[in-house]
PDB file of all heavy atoms in Angstrom:
ATOM      1  N   VAL A 260      -1.603 -94.153 -20.342  1.00  0.00           N
ATOM      2  CA  VAL A 260      -2.624 -93.858 -21.347  1.00  0.00           C
ATOM      3  C   VAL A 260      -2.939 -95.073 -22.207  1.00  0.00           C
ATOM      4  O   VAL A 260      -4.089 -95.398 -22.467  1.00  0.00           O
ATOM      5  CB  VAL A 260      -2.231 -92.644 -22.228  1.00  0.00           C
ATOM      6  CG1 VAL A 260      -3.091 -92.536 -23.467  1.00  0.00           C
ATOM      7  CG2 VAL A 260      -2.306 -91.361 -21.432  1.00  0.00           C
ATOM      8  N   GLY A 261      -1.906 -95.786 -22.624  1.00  0.00           N
ATOM      9  CA  GLY A 261      -2.120 -96.977 -23.439  1.00  0.00           C
ATOM     10  C   GLY A 261      -2.963 -98.049 -22.731  1.00  0.00           C
ATOM     11  O   GLY A 261      -3.820 -98.681 -23.297  1.00  0.00           O
ATOM     12  N   ARG A 262      -2.686 -98.198 -21.450  1.00  0.00           N
ATOM     13  CA  ARG A 262      -3.435 -99.158 -20.612  1.00  0.00           C
ATOM     14  C   ARG A 262      -4.910 -98.748 -20.521  1.00  0.00           C
ATOM     15  O   ARG A 262      -5.794 -99.579 -20.664  1.00  0.00           O
ATOM     16  CB  ARG A 262      -2.797 -99.222 -19.249  1.00  0.00           C
ATOM     17  CG  ARG A 262      -3.485-100.114 -18.270  1.00  0.00           C
ATOM     18  CD  ARG A 262      -2.723-100.067 -16.938  1.00  0.00           C
ATOM     19  NE  ARG A 262      -3.485-100.667 -15.886  1.00  0.00           N
ATOM     20  CZ  ARG A 262      -3.215-100.501 -14.613  1.00  0.00           C
ATOM     21  NH1 ARG A 262      -2.187 -99.756 -14.215  1.00  0.00           N
ATOM     22  NH2 ARG A 262      -3.939-101.090 -13.714  1.00  0.00           N
ATOM     23  N   PHE A 263      -5.161 -97.460 -20.267  1.00  0.00           N
ATOM     24  CA  PHE A 263      -6.553 -96.981 -20.165  1.00  0.00           C
ATOM     25  C   PHE A 263      -7.272 -97.071 -21.498  1.00  0.00           C
ATOM     26  O   PHE A 263      -8.450 -97.354 -21.549  1.00  0.00           O
ATOM     27  CB  PHE A 263      -6.577 -95.535 -19.639  1.00  0.00           C
ATOM     28  CG  PHE A 263      -6.077 -95.384 -18.245  1.00  0.00           C
ATOM     29  CD1 PHE A 263      -5.202 -94.346 -17.922  1.00  0.00           C
ATOM     30  CD2 PHE A 263      -6.453 -96.267 -17.221  1.00  0.00           C
ATOM     31  CE1 PHE A 263      -4.740 -94.180 -16.615  1.00  0.00           C
ATOM     32  CE2 PHE A 263      -5.970 -96.109 -15.918  1.00  0.00           C
ATOM     33  CZ  PHE A 263      -5.121 -95.083 -15.626  1.00  0.00           C
ATOM     34  N   THR A 264      -6.550 -96.815 -22.590  1.00  0.00           N
ATOM     35  CA  THR A 264      -7.134 -96.911 -23.922  1.00  0.00           C
ATOM     36  C   THR A 264      -7.523 -98.344 -24.246  1.00  0.00           C
ATOM     37  O   THR A 264      -8.596 -98.618 -24.785  1.00  0.00           O
ATOM     38  CB  THR A 264      -6.189 -96.341 -24.977  1.00  0.00           C
ATOM     39  OG1 THR A 264      -5.868 -94.972 -24.643  1.00  0.00           O
ATOM     40  CG2 THR A 264      -6.797 -96.390 -26.372  1.00  0.00           C
ATOM     41  N   ALA A 265      -6.616 -99.254 -23.907  1.00  0.00           N
ATOM     42  CA  ALA A 265      -6.857-100.668 -24.177  1.00  0.00           C
ATOM     43  C   ALA A 265      -8.001-101.244 -23.330  1.00  0.00           C
ATOM     44  O   ALA A 265      -8.758-102.086 -23.769  1.00  0.00           O
ATOM     45  CB  ALA A 265      -5.591-101.500 -23.949  1.00  0.00           C
ATOM     46  N   ASP A 266      -8.115-100.772 -22.086  1.00  0.00           N
ATOM     47  CA  ASP A 266      -9.142-101.275 -21.177  1.00  0.00           C
ATOM     48  C   ASP A 266      -9.675-100.125 -20.296  1.00  0.00           C
ATOM     49  O   ASP A 266      -9.168 -99.917 -19.194  1.00  0.00           O
ATOM     50  CB  ASP A 266      -8.571-102.401 -20.323  1.00  0.00           C
ATOM     51  CG  ASP A 266      -9.620-103.037 -19.414  1.00  0.00           C
ATOM     52  OD1 ASP A 266     -10.818-102.724 -19.543  1.00  0.00           O
ATOM     53  OD2 ASP A 266      -9.242-103.865 -18.558  1.00  0.00           O
ATOM     54  N   PRO A 267     -10.679 -99.408 -20.785  1.00  0.00           N
ATOM     55  CA  PRO A 267     -11.188 -98.257 -20.034  1.00  0.00           C
ATOM     56  C   PRO A 267     -11.700 -98.591 -18.625  1.00  0.00           C
ATOM     57  O   PRO A 267     -11.791 -97.703 -17.771  1.00  0.00           O
ATOM     58  CB  PRO A 267     -12.301 -97.706 -20.919  1.00  0.00           C
ATOM     59  CG  PRO A 267     -11.954 -98.173 -22.298  1.00  0.00           C
ATOM     60  CD  PRO A 267     -11.318 -99.494 -22.116  1.00  0.00           C
ATOM     61  N   THR A 268     -12.036 -99.864 -18.359  1.00  0.00           N
ATOM     62  CA  THR A 268     -12.470-100.202 -16.991  1.00  0.00           C
ATOM     63  C   THR A 268     -11.370 -99.941 -15.973  1.00  0.00           C
ATOM     64  O   THR A 268     -11.668 -99.854 -14.763  1.00  0.00           O
ATOM     65  CB  THR A 268     -12.948-101.677 -16.892  1.00  0.00           C
ATOM     66  OG1 THR A 268     -11.863-102.551 -17.201  1.00  0.00           O
ATOM     67  CG2 THR A 268     -14.111-101.940 -17.853  1.00  0.00           C
TER      68      THR A 268
END
Side-chain angles (χ1 to χ4, degrees):
V260 166
R262 177 180 168 196
F263 295 135
T264 302
D266 184 7
T268 62

